[in-house]
Amino acid sequence: MKVTDMFNKITAKNNKKNNSNTAYPGFEGEVGRVHATSSPSWPKRNEPLDGAPNVLVVLCDDLGFSDLGSYGSEIDTPNLDALASEGLRYTNFHVNPMCSPTRASLLTGLNSHLAGLATVCHADPGFPGYAASIRSDTATLAEILSDNGWATLMVGKWHLTPDNTLSEAGPKHSWPCQRGFDRYYGILDGFTNFHQPHRLYEDNHVVEVDSYPDDYFFTDDLTDNALSMIKNVRTGHPKKPWFMYFSHGAVHAPLQAPDKDIKKYQGRYNSGWDEIRSERFERQIASGLIPEETVLPPRNTEENYAVSPWDELSDMEKETFARYQEIYAAMVDNVDQNFGRLRRELETMGEWENTVVIFTSDNGASREGLDNGTSAYFRTLISQVRKNPLDSLEVDNSRLDLLGGPQALAHYPNGWAMASNTPFRLYKTNTHQGGHQVPLIISKGDGLNDKGSLRNQYQHVTDLLPTILEMLEVEIPQERNGQKLVPPNGNSFLESMNYKEAESTHRLQYYEQEGHRGIYRDGWSAVTCHQKRTSFEEDNWELFDLSADPTETQNLSDSHPELLAELKDVWEQEAWANQVFPLDEGTGLKNIVRPEWEEELEQTQSFLPKTPTVERYRSLKLINSRSFEIIISIDYKKGDEGILVAHGDQGGGYSIYIEDGELNHVHNGYGDMTEVSCGELSEGVSEIKLTVEAAGDLIWNTKVFVDGSVVAETNNLPVLTAMAPFEGIDVGIDRRSPVSWSLYERHGTFPYTGSLNSVTYVPGELGPDAGTRWIDFLRDSGVKYE
């Protein structure tokens, strides 16, 4: 007899059920005065069906449609190609044209604006579609699967929480573990240095790292942690299924890779983007990936998006641009290697055969490297906002040996983005096909029926959540924790996995990113390429029959004006229904307007020695677009040396340090180093001060004081702004990626050996070119953007 049955028999004989005791509401057992006369009962747990599969979702970052071997690439991706041969390749799968929006849609099944993620997750300008975090009245895939008995695990890039909540002060309601994940390891930001990550998080805390091993690489680290999490689940339970969301930081800039992987592609891209694009297109046609009658469009020619013919480039341009693509190919290759390693370990554990695997990308390839690419990503990010004289092909060419390593933050030119998106037009952020048509591979460890075949149905990233849940026989909840949920916009396309001729389950989809607009309906697409700070009413709408012209080469707007007008009206309706408005007119207002409480982050702040690195955005609020002072209190004695304060990394930053009795000020202007000797220090020095004047025109003027006397002065230093400095403030040490590489080579993190009392930041007046200075001008200028 079972112990529970014995309890029940005793209880039935000796006890009468007492329904009058309100201390046990909802308890289905019986309670006597002692255990022997009581009947136990346990709350029911939601358990998966016997044999329920694991789920592995792998999301690559900025990977173009043609970047895998199975989609036409020359890049070596045998492990992902094997996955494609065992499963299905979707050739007409679409995401949102930007990373955070796609990630939100993948996890919620909602259109990105409706989820609260209109664009990259940095600023929250105060509108629902731009909230920069997933709305509370929706359930994420992790939350749903957790509620139904899956272990929920995540590694990699999150990018679904605004900058002002990235510090450990929170709030943390939009962090991974608060949105359904049991475990998390990775970066909350949008990208990082792959050799020396700026800020790693584990679960709900920051991973404290002073320095990384010389052979460290972020993608390798993510794979290690993914396997560790899965092994821990299995040691805790013999069959509990798991959901692993492997959200790569690769192949997003900065372009960095292990040296052995880069060498593998040396010289491979000397032929240029035109030839590589043509070769990929031919392989796509030959393999049946795209219809034989598909037309390869001319090079992108749109204003601000055009690509130069490779044959017309100078020798220096060709040399530099080819090197960028060698590194990019190495990053893709490394992603494939790590996927292969993950698979082999899962096979050894006996987990692979019962694992559903989904691989895709978050948007098309990126044009953030602009026409010439860059060895200094942060420098070039500024160039996309304002005209910036810092870009220099000559400087980038002189740094060829550094590209791919920890000292250079590289990005390829837009010609390589065009090749990555073969055969489609334009890039990430654009609502033309190149911005959002990406690879999708779906398989299961023991293979799928009709394995190795293609699926041509139009589907969208919002369809993944309902498809996965249907595969797992899990219902989409209508409410959670007593709260009614917004239903997903997507629809399951499981039928197409079983039947090649199944109809698409996604008939209508709007697109919007940075003012670019598009609407898809039943094979027709109306789309615009918007120019910033121009009227939306003046946008040129193009019309394409994608069923006959998937690469958008035949604009039918003149021959079908009524259909175009109808689709434009549909876009308007969808935009209002999905909280797309207000549109981003390109003035930068959305990046300037901040909630009032952020003013608290701009007040004078003192930091003590051994303080953990101050979070990036918290640090930036003390210096961005303004003048400021740094007051360092010390009790200097002869022989004391080390870093007094450091803010930033190899992408840009500044530091003050003492070496061999001499005070030094270093300014890293996106790789352009200015090192200023401030003279020898006398014993007994008590205060060192750095003053920074934001002089306008992206210029800083600096002075260094020792006990009130000026000892050094430097003018016309490039302002550090936007995403730089990317690492936060360090006191008495320069952790992880250093501001000065030469100093790092001599001393490592160079902790200060003397008596350092405090480092105080005193924010000053906004500079004449600060964004807030021209908000009123924009609003009062009379220019109409609507």
Side-chain angles (χ1 to χ4, degrees):
M1 179 181 291
K2 293 182 179 180
V3 175
T4 302
D5 294 339
M6 180 181 69
F7 272 127
N8 290 340
K9 185 175 181 180
I10 295 172
T11 301
K13 182 177 180 179
N14 298 305
N15 241 22
K16 290 184 178 181
K17 190 169 184 177
N18 183 359
N19 294 320
S20 63
N21 193 329
T22 59
Y24 301 91
F27 180 65
E28 295 183 359
E30 296 185 6
V31 179
R33 292 184 64 82
V34 297
H35 278 267
T37 59
S38 301
S39 176
S41 177
W42 290 270
K44 293 182 179 180
R45 294 173 55 178
N46 287 331
E47 297 285 352
L49 297 174
D50 286 343
N54 309 310
V55 180
L56 171 62
V57 174
V58 181
L59 182 68
C60 216
D61 198 330
D62 287 3
L63 183 83
F65 181 82
S66 72
D67 280 333
L68 302 180
S70 56
Y71 280 79
S73 181
E74 73 293 334
I75 300 173
D76 193 16
T77 56
N79 297 294
L80 289 167
D81 296 345
L83 184 74
S85 69
E86 297 160 354
L88 302 172
R89 279 174 292 163
Y90 280 75
T91 66
N92 200 4
F93 181 70
H94 300 258
V95 291
N96 302 313
M98 189 71 94
C99 49
S100 297
T102 290
R103 292 158 197 275
S105 290
L106 187 156
L107 289 175
T108 66
L110 293 177
N111 287 324
S112 58
H113 299 77
L114 192 61
L117 279 298
T119 186
V120 283
C121 200
H122 295 294
D124 173 8
F127 301 103
Y130 289 81
S133 58
I134 295 173
R135 61 191 297 163
S136 61
D137 57 348
T138 187
T140 69
L141 182 58
E143 289 167 336
I144 296 170
L145 292 184
S146 178
D147 291 346
N148 283 274
W150 270 258
T152 52
L153 318 169
M154 179 183 174
V155 296
K157 168 179 167 176
W158 178 241
H159 212 199
L160 291 172
T161 190
D163 281 353
N164 57 25
T165 64
L166 291 177
S167 77
E168 290 205 290
K172 299 181 179 180
H173 63 276
S174 59
W175 288 27
C177 290
Q178 279 63 251
R179 292 312 316 236
F181 287 99
D182 301 329
R183 295 293 316 280
Y184 171 70
Y185 179 86
I187 56 171
L188 296 183
D189 260 310
F191 54 85
T192 195
N193 184 316
F194 286 82
H195 297 286
Q196 298 172 322
H198 71 293
R199 191 172 182 86
L200 294 171
Y201 296 80
E202 184 173 29
D203 302 329
N204 273 332
H205 66 273
V206 174
V207 179
E208 300 295 345
V209 180
D210 283 357
S211 60
Y212 294 95
D214 290 341
D215 62 350
Y216 176 92
F217 194 68
F218 183 50
T219 308
D220 300 339
D221 190 16
L222 295 183
T223 304
D224 291 342
N225 277 273
L227 287 167
S228 175
M229 290 179 186
I230 293 169
K231 290 176 180 177
N232 279 326
V233 170
R234 194 52 69 237
T235 59
H237 194 284
K239 61 180 183 179
K240 184 183 181 76
W242 45 262
F243 162 47
M244 165 61 70
Y245 175 34
F246 197 128
S247 178
H248 275 286
V251 289
H252 193 291
L255 304 185
Q256 296 172 321
D259 187 57
K260 65 178 178 59
D261 296 332
I262 298 173
K263 288 180 178 178
K264 179 178 179 179
Y265 292 93
Q266 189 170 353
R268 179 65 182 82
Y269 295 99
N270 292 346
S271 60
W273 48 61
D274 291 323
E275 184 170 324
I276 293 295
R277 182 178 184 236
S278 178
E279 291 172 352
R280 290 188 179 190
F281 180 72
E282 290 173 3
R283 283 191 287 267
Q284 291 172 338
I285 294 289
S287 67
L289 189 77
I290 57 177
E292 188 173 351
E293 62 273 15
T294 302
V295 176
L296 180 64
R299 295 180 203 89
N300 296 321
T301 58
E302 289 77 4
E303 182 182 356
N304 294 319
Y305 299 94
V307 174
S308 299
W310 183 266
D311 289 343
E312 295 180 7
L313 302 179
S314 69
D315 290 344
M316 178 183 291
E317 288 172 326
K318 290 178 179 179
E319 180 186 34
T320 308
F321 299 171
R323 180 63 59 84
Y324 289 133
Q325 186 65 3
E326 292 169 8
I327 301 164
Y328 179 76
M331 289 185 82
V332 176
D333 190 313
N334 182 267
V335 166
D336 183 82
Q337 292 175 45
N338 274 282
F339 179 80
R341 182 162 68 94
L342 180 66
R343 173 176 181 162
R344 288 189 294 273
E345 286 282 339
L346 293 177
E347 288 174 335
T348 300
M349 294 169 60
E351 297 288 312
W352 180 257
E353 290 300 301
N354 196 33
T355 298
V356 173
V357 184
I358 296 171
F359 179 93
T360 190
S361 178
D362 62 354
N363 45 245
S366 171
R367 61 170 291 276
E368 290 168 355
L370 304 181
D371 294 345
N372 293 329
T374 183
S375 65
Y377 182 51
F378 297 137
R379 178 194 74 193
T380 304
L381 282 179
I382 297 174
S383 298
Q384 297 185 74
V385 180
R386 330 180 196 187
K387 185 177 180 180
N388 192 320
L390 297 177
D391 282 321
S392 170
L393 176 66
E394 289 74 18
V395 169
D396 293 335
N397 182 263
S398 71
R399 306 181 77 203
L400 287 184
D401 291 342
L402 300 180
L403 299 183
Q407 292 179 253
L409 279 62
H411 200 303
Y412 53 62
N414 56 18
W416 289 120
M418 178 186 69
S420 286
N421 292 333
T422 304
F424 304 114
R425 290 174 55 193
L426 296 177
Y427 325 92
K428 170 184 177 179
T429 75
N430 295 121
T431 49
H432 285 71
Q433 303 302 296
H436 51 80
Q437 193 159 345
V438 297
L440 173 66
I441 301 172
I442 300 180
S443 188
K444 193 168 182 288
D446 52 6
L448 294 177
N449 293 332
D450 200 20
K451 64 182 181 180
S453 64
L454 304 174
R455 292 294 185 267
N456 303 320
Q457 292 86 352
Y458 178 99
Q459 300 296 160
H460 188 259
V461 64
T462 53
D463 301 326
L464 284 178
L465 178 143
T467 302
I468 293 170
L469 294 182
E470 186 177 4
M471 292 174 72
L472 303 181
E473 299 184 50
V474 173
E475 292 186 2
I476 297 174
Q478 296 182 344
E479 64 175 46
R480 186 171 188 267
N481 297 331
Q483 183 179 35
K484 186 177 180 180
L485 302 178
V486 179
N489 298 111
N491 302 293
S492 171
F493 57 92
L494 181 60
E495 185 179 5
S496 72
M497 294 172 59
N498 299 318
Y499 304 102
K500 185 175 184 178
E501 304 304 325
E503 295 291 325
S504 166
T505 60
H506 207 104
R507 295 184 55 246
L508 178 68
Q509 182 61 46
Y510 81 89
Y511 295 94
E512 189 281 329
Q513 192 64 55
E514 296 187 357
H516 305 299
R517 293 172 287 168
I519 184 76
Y520 168 89
R521 188 182 69 180
D522 290 332
W524 286 88
S525 174
V527 66
T528 72
C529 182
H530 179 69
Q531 298 297 325
K532 294 180 179 180
R533 303 189 193 182
T534 63
S535 170
F536 287 101
E537 294 300 320
E538 297 175 2
D539 278 352
N540 176 40
W541 283 84
E542 298 175 282
L543 178 67
F544 302 101
D545 178 4
L546 296 180
S547 61
D549 178 26
T551 54
E552 301 172 307
T553 62
Q554 298 295 320
N555 180 8
L556 304 178
S557 58
D558 290 339
S559 56
H560 294 76
E562 293 181 357
L563 177 57
L564 177 60
E566 182 182 344
L567 288 176
K568 288 167 65 175
D569 286 342
V570 172
W571 185 91
E572 191 82 6
Q573 295 164 16
E574 289 293 295
W576 283 115
N578 286 278
Q579 58 192 35
V580 173
F581 295 110
L583 291 174
D584 176 10
E585 67 273 61
T587 59
L589 283 174
K590 79 175 191 297
N591 299 317
I592 297 168
V593 178
R594 294 289 195 273
E596 292 182 358
W597 64 262
E598 278 203 21
E599 295 177 3
E600 297 176 4
L601 305 179
E602 300 171 352
Q603 299 176 6
T604 296
Q605 178 73 50
S606 292
F607 301 104
L608 303 178
K610 298 184 179 180
T611 296
T613 304
V614 184
E615 187 274 323
R616 172 185 65 78
Y617 188 70
R618 172 72 177 94
S619 300
L620 189 64
K621 294 297 289 184
L622 298 171
I623 72 166
N624 196 36
S625 298
R626 67 189 337 126
S627 299
F628 61 94
E629 295 181 349
I630 304 174
I631 302 172
I632 303 166
S633 174
I634 63 173
D635 297 316
Y636 177 71
K637 295 182 180 178
K638 190 173 182 179
D640 295 343
E641 66 175 7
I643 298 287
L644 298 174
V645 65
H647 184 188
D649 56 19
Q650 281 293 282
Y654 58 89
S655 66
I656 298 285
Y657 68 93
I658 301 172
E659 181 182 32
D660 296 331
E662 186 176 297
L663 181 67
N664 295 274
H665 169 220
V666 172
H667 182 87
N668 182 338
Y670 313 105
D672 181 14
M673 299 298 298
T674 301
E675 302 196 29
V676 181
S677 171
C678 304
E680 292 188 6
L681 292 179
S682 301
E683 190 153 341
V685 166
S686 62
E687 181 183 281
I688 296 168
K689 181 168 67 175
L690 172 68
T691 67
V692 178
E693 176 197 12
D697 297 326
L698 299 177
I699 293 299
W700 274 355
N701 297 327
T702 67
K703 292 181 181 179
V704 178
F705 297 79
V706 173
D707 284 341
S709 299
V710 176
V711 294
E713 184 173 353
T714 308
N715 295 324
N716 298 318
L717 296 173
V719 160
L720 301 171
T721 187
M723 298 300 292
F726 197 59
E727 281 200 23
I729 297 167
D730 277 329
V731 174
I733 194 171
D734 189 358
R735 301 182 176 99
R736 297 173 298 281
S737 177
V739 172
S740 169
W741 194 264
S742 61
L743 187 65
Y744 171 77
E745 288 183 314
R746 295 196 299 273
H747 300 290
T749 58
F750 207 17
Y752 188 62
T753 61
S755 178
L756 174 59
N757 301 318
S758 64
V759 173
T760 301
Y761 275 74
V762 184
E765 293 293 320
L766 290 170
D769 55 354
T772 50
R773 299 288 196 191
W774 45 272
I775 289 180
D776 291 339
F777 168 76
L778 288 170
R779 287 178 171 163
D780 297 338
S781 65
V783 177
K784 302 297 183 184
Y785 297 106
E786 296 182 358

